[in-house]
Amino acid sequence: MAEDTSVKFGVKAGWRAQSVWSEMLAEFVGCFVLLAFGAGCVAVAVVGLTESHRTMVIFQGAGGWMVIVWGWAFAVAMAVYVAGGVSGAHINPAVTLAFALKGNFPWRKVIPYWIAQVAGCFAGAAIVYYDYFRAINAWNLANHVVSRADPGGLTTFSIFATFPAAYYGSHLGLMLLDQIIATFFLVLFVFAIIDNMNVGPGSNLAPLMIGFAVAAIGLSFGVGTGYAINPARDFGPRLFCWLQGWGPNAFPGPHGYWWIPIVGPLIGAAIAVYFYDWCISRTLCVRAKLLKERQPRVEQKGLGFKLEKLQKALDEVKTQIDVADK
């Protein structure tokens, strides 16, 4: 009778350990959290504060934008903390594509991750809608918006998904460029933050730093197209809004905008992969190799080294399990 190595080595068996479904579930939950708190903070700024009579004007000065920027930053950080231990918390198809292009993620998992991410964002938008739909209806009534599909419905649509600033006019190319630039910086920051050879954050602060990176992008590149920088974050809620009556505000969107937050982030992420590799990663690898040759017994400390030791131990356990199973 074969020995139950999964029990011996403390490794769980079943679909949670052996299939992509557990990772898809984590991505779904991470994106659910992302949209629940991301769209939730926009709902507060757009309809929650005004229709609760806690303030009379939306976006008075820059206050409303600060609520949105920092709300999304903390939403990203919390989502990464929730899902990171299972799936790595990509919570963004552009990030998934970037890791696959970099060679750190199997291509066979890309489409499953994308599906889970879109579904999670759809569900997150739904929970915000059902918590705030009375405020949305009250705002539309107070501002004489007869239908969510009317041009005036873009204001409440912006709670869930994005649309371009008026100064772009119909220049889709400029809108696309805005999304490429913003997502390029997002992926560049993510690679820098999680790179153990770079000056990464100590302790378990990487998710918070990624949230701060999103805040930096929102503060610097946010107003042009709403810094979706995430195809699932925009497409899932956009689909939900279309089903809830926002009609052409969702699809096709102003000037046929709906595809920009999908294609732009994917292009920006791909550029960031090769940019970081050429400009930063290769130098770090060469310097690390040189240091190892000159000081082969140097004492290594820090989070990166501890994670490497942990990964090595896990790999050894997996090898022993595989041998025992054979």
Side-chain angles (χ1 to χ4, degrees):
M1 182 176 180
E3 184 180 3
D4 189 353
T5 54
S6 64
V7 175
K8 178 179 178 181
F9 293 109
V11 179
K12 292 182 179 180
W15 67 272
R16 292 187 182 276
Q18 299 174 356
S19 78
V20 73
W21 289 105
S22 60
E23 296 168 50
M24 291 177 66
L25 181 60
E27 284 294 299
F28 173 88
V29 175
C31 287
F32 175 76
V33 170
L34 174 69
L35 256 292
F37 285 85
C41 73
V42 186
V44 167
V46 174
V47 298
L49 289 173
T50 55
E51 301 314 310
S52 66
H53 301 293
R54 300 181 191 277
T55 186
M56 299 307 296
V57 183
I58 65 171
F59 298 137
Q60 187 169 10
W65 190 248
M66 292 300 100
V67 169
I68 292 171
V69 165
W70 289 107
W72 271 107
F74 288 123
V76 169
M78 295 305 107
V80 175
Y81 275 121
V82 167
V86 177
S87 67
H90 297 183
I91 60 173
N92 185 337
V95 172
T96 300
L97 175 65
F99 282 128
L101 289 171
K102 198 172 187 295
N104 294 344
F105 188 75
W107 282 100
R108 61 183 174 81
K109 291 184 179 181
V110 170
I111 298 300
Y113 265 50
W114 285 2
I115 293 172
Q117 289 157 356
V118 171
C121 290
F122 182 97
I127 199 171
V128 171
Y129 173 81
Y130 288 114
D131 195 53
Y132 281 99
F133 76 93
R134 288 184 65 87
I136 291 171
N137 292 340
W139 189 92
N140 285 337
L141 182 63
N143 290 274
H144 311 292
V145 178
V146 177
S147 169
R148 295 173 182 175
D150 290 345
L154 270 177
T155 300
T156 52
F157 172 77
S158 70
I159 294 171
F160 305 99
T162 63
F163 63 90
Y167 56 71
Y168 281 128
S170 60
H171 295 287
L172 291 175
L174 295 177
M175 303 173 198
L176 182 66
L177 179 63
D178 179 81
Q179 281 293 291
I180 291 172
I181 292 171
T183 313
F184 165 82
F185 282 119
L186 172 66
V187 174
L188 181 70
F189 296 158
V190 168
F191 281 165
I193 290 168
I194 67 173
D195 190 342
N196 285 332
M197 290 188 292
N198 209 330
V199 186
S203 187
N204 193 27
L205 292 178
L208 186 59
M209 293 300 103
I210 293 172
F212 285 174
V214 172
I217 294 167
L219 291 170
S220 301
F221 296 96
V223 296
T225 57
Y227 75 112
I229 57 176
N230 181 337
R233 168 264 176 278
D234 191 85
F235 182 76
R238 186 178 296 273
L239 179 59
F240 177 82
C241 286
W242 181 74
L243 294 173
Q244 292 298 326
W246 271 275
N249 287 325
F251 290 103
H255 311 292
Y257 173 80
W258 72 271
W259 60 273
I260 298 290
I262 298 175
V263 176
L266 296 178
I267 296 174
I271 295 172
V273 171
Y274 299 106
F275 183 88
Y276 184 81
D277 180 66
W278 178 260
C279 296
I280 304 295
S281 184
R282 295 187 184 186
T283 301
L284 291 172
C285 290
V286 170
R287 289 185 175 183
K289 182 179 179 181
L290 182 62
L291 178 62
K292 187 175 181 180
E293 291 173 351
R294 293 183 176 181
Q295 297 178 326
R297 296 183 180 180
V298 64
E299 183 181 0
Q300 300 184 63
K301 298 179 180 180
L303 176 63
F305 179 61
K306 291 179 181 178
L307 290 176
E308 288 174 4
K309 288 179 66 178
L310 175 61
Q311 186 60 54
K312 183 178 179 180
L314 291 173
D315 291 342
E316 290 176 355
V317 169
K318 186 177 184 301
T319 301
Q320 293 178 36
I321 292 174
D322 293 340
V323 171
D325 287 342
K326 292 178 180 178

